[in-house]
Each structure stands twice: as C-alpha cells, then as structure tokens.
Amino acid sequence: MADTFIKMQISIPPIEGVEDIPVAAVEALAAKMGFSPDRVQDIAQALTEACVNAIIYSDSDADVEIVILACQNSLILEVRDKGPGFEPDAVPPPNFELISEMGVKNGGFGIHMIKALVDKLEIESSNKGTVVRMSTFLSKADN
Amino acid sequence: MTHSSFLQDELKISSKEEDNKVTLKLEGALSATTVPYFRQTVQPYLDRPVAEIILDFAGVTKVVSRGVGAAIDVAVQIKKIGGRMRVENIGKFSRSLYIQGVHLVADVPELEGFEP
C-alpha cells in the first residue's frame, strides 16, 4: 500500500445534481486531511463548479470522472469529461464594469471562480475532452 | 446534460411583501437547473416594479456560478429601474459571492469589509 498518496476515483453520469455525491465525499476527505472549514468549502465549491461545467457542456452520455489524489500536504482533484473541449486561454476574466451595466444573461464565471478558490488550476482541453486539475495545499493556517 | 427526476437540484422560493419590498426566501440549490425557476419567480417584481428585492439565502444548500450570475442580473435590472437588491444570510457562500462581485451590484451586509 502506497503511503505517499491515496488515489480514489468516482464516475458520475452527466446529470446535474449528481455531482453532490463526489463533492460530499471530497468535503469529508478534505476535513479529515486537516483543511480548515473555509478551505473545505472552497474545495467543495471549486469541485462543484468543475463538475457542473463538465456536465453542462458535455455532448456525450459518457460519464464524468473525478480523480482524487490525497497527498500528505495537498489535495489534487481532476475532473475529466469527454465533451467537445474549449480554449481555456480564450475565457476572459469577468469585466465587472460591464456586468454592472448589462447584467448576466446566461452562464456565470465558473473558471474564474475555480481559479480564485484553489491554489493551482491547470486545464488541458482538446476536441476529445477536458481535464480540469485543481490543487490545494495544506498550510499552517489549516492546522 | 440530461435531467434526472429524482436526483436533480430543487429550489423553493417563498415570498413576503411589505411596503413595496419583497423578501424571497430561497431553499435548496441555486444552480443551472433551478435558474429558470428563479428568474421566472423574480420577474413579476421587476415588471411592477417593487422598490427592493431581498434575497434570503439562509436556506440555500448549494450555489453555482450560473445561479450567482442570475442573482447579479436581477440586481442590475432592478437598479436600472430605480430599485435595489439586498442579499442576506449568505453564510458559507460568502467567498463565492464575493469572487463573482455580487457586492458590486447589490447590498450584501455580510460582505461589508469582507476579506477573502
């Protein structure tokens, strides 16, 4: 048995609402690892956003996979879908001035939110699918 | 995306109106699934309009960015017609709402002086 990290994997169908199950599991894990309640909430919110994006933009019936890597000092979450992909660098940050004038007609700012909630965000995307990798590191403040 | 009849997100909204102000108590998930219902419920108060819409988040169990976007949109629409929106009891969703800039378009007492 490996003692440097523990890997877990959950597959869910692309049905909005089902992501609550892996999110609840990750919340329990993050709390057990020693993350503070605020950081547990950040991790849960980031995972929710990533899963919902994968579900909403998935064109196929293929499952969305959530890969969890629990290391001694970090928690790495991957959300993998088989959707059509997107260009991560083409997603602009929210323009709050414009939003205050025009409102928000559709969608939100999921990627922006994830970026703000975790320590490191990596996105690999192609026309065969997307992997969103979110890393959060345990800090002294968590203990 | 497909929908499941028994696992999909649900949102209940109850309203209380007083002195040209309406308080909408949200219970459940403010998510992509429930945003149409949220918009549909709020729209009559924008059409009339009322002077203030208060969103009470005490019963909210889950928020996604799309839901927050819809709340921001309501705040912007009511502001345009001379009203205002207030968001109360955001609790654990403070950081998520702050990141999305809800406090820039609505009164959010819990985000006054908030440091993320």
Side-chain angles (χ1 to χ4, degrees):
Chain A
M1 190 170 71
D3 58 1
T4 51
F5 68 88
I6 294 170
K7 183 179 177 180
M8 289 169 265
Q9 203 159 329
I10 304 173
S11 292
I12 59 169
I15 298 171
E16 205 206 359
V18 179
E19 76 281 357
D20 291 355
I21 286 86
V23 169
V26 166
E27 266 185 293
L29 172 66
K32 192 161 188 168
M33 286 176 69
F35 284 101
S36 68
D38 283 352
R39 300 261 284 170
V40 171
Q41 173 60 25
D42 289 351
I43 291 165
Q45 185 71 49
L47 180 59
T48 300
E49 291 293 334
C51 288
V52 168
N53 274 350
I55 291 166
I56 286 177
Y57 298 112
S58 172
D59 272 354
S60 73
D61 290 335
D63 284 356
V64 172
E65 280 183 17
I66 295 102
V67 179
I68 303 158
L69 277 175
C71 310
Q72 198 157 6
N73 292 309
S74 63
L75 177 59
I76 301 166
L77 304 171
E78 282 184 5
V79 176
R80 298 167 170 264
D81 70 64
K82 294 197 166 51
F86 69 105
E87 182 49 64
D89 294 336
V91 180
N95 178 339
F96 290 116
E97 209 168 300
L98 193 65
I99 291 164
S100 300
E101 288 287 317
M102 307 296 291
V104 184
K105 296 301 164 211
N106 196 15
F109 309 103
I111 298 290
H112 165 72
M113 193 189 278
I114 295 169
K115 210 178 272 182
L117 291 171
V118 299
D119 294 324
K120 190 177 174 189
L121 172 66
E122 297 158 279
I123 301 173
E124 294 159 19
S125 193
S126 74
N127 58 4
K128 288 182 179 159
T130 298
V131 179
V132 174
R133 187 176 302 109
M134 302 164 285
S135 305
T136 308
F137 306 106
L138 268 167
S139 65
K140 282 180 187 166
D142 288 308
N143 300 313
Chain B
M1 177 177 70
T2 52
H3 294 283
S4 161
S5 58
F6 68 103
L7 288 175
Q8 78 182 44
D9 290 333
E10 285 184 359
L11 177 67
K12 284 182 188 162
I13 304 177
S14 56
S15 62
K16 189 181 169 190
E17 212 172 326
E18 207 172 26
D19 300 331
N20 205 23
K21 265 188 218 177
V22 65
T23 300
L24 300 173
K25 281 192 169 197
L26 277 55
E27 285 177 78
L30 187 55
S31 67
T33 304
T34 62
V35 157
Y37 169 64
F38 171 74
R39 286 188 185 269
Q40 181 193 325
T41 306
V42 175
Q43 193 58 47
Y45 301 105
L46 293 170
D47 291 340
R48 269 200 263 155
V50 294
E52 187 173 14
I53 295 174
I54 300 163
L55 297 184
D56 184 344
F57 266 52
V60 173
T61 53
K62 171 180 170 181
V63 153
V64 304
S65 56
R66 206 170 261 240
V68 180
I72 289 173
D73 197 48
V74 171
V76 171
Q77 300 316 315
I78 196 165
K79 217 172 172 180
K80 276 184 184 169
I81 49 179
R84 54 195 280 190
M85 192 175 93
R86 184 179 168 90
V87 189
E88 296 180 342
N89 300 316
I90 56 174
K92 67 178 184 177
F93 301 113
S94 297
R95 251 166 80 71
S96 303
L97 269 60
Y98 180 87
I99 290 164
Q100 294 235 84
V102 177
H103 58 296
L104 301 176
V105 291
D107 298 329
V108 190
E110 280 161 274
L111 293 183
E112 281 168 22
F114 182 78
E115 287 186 29

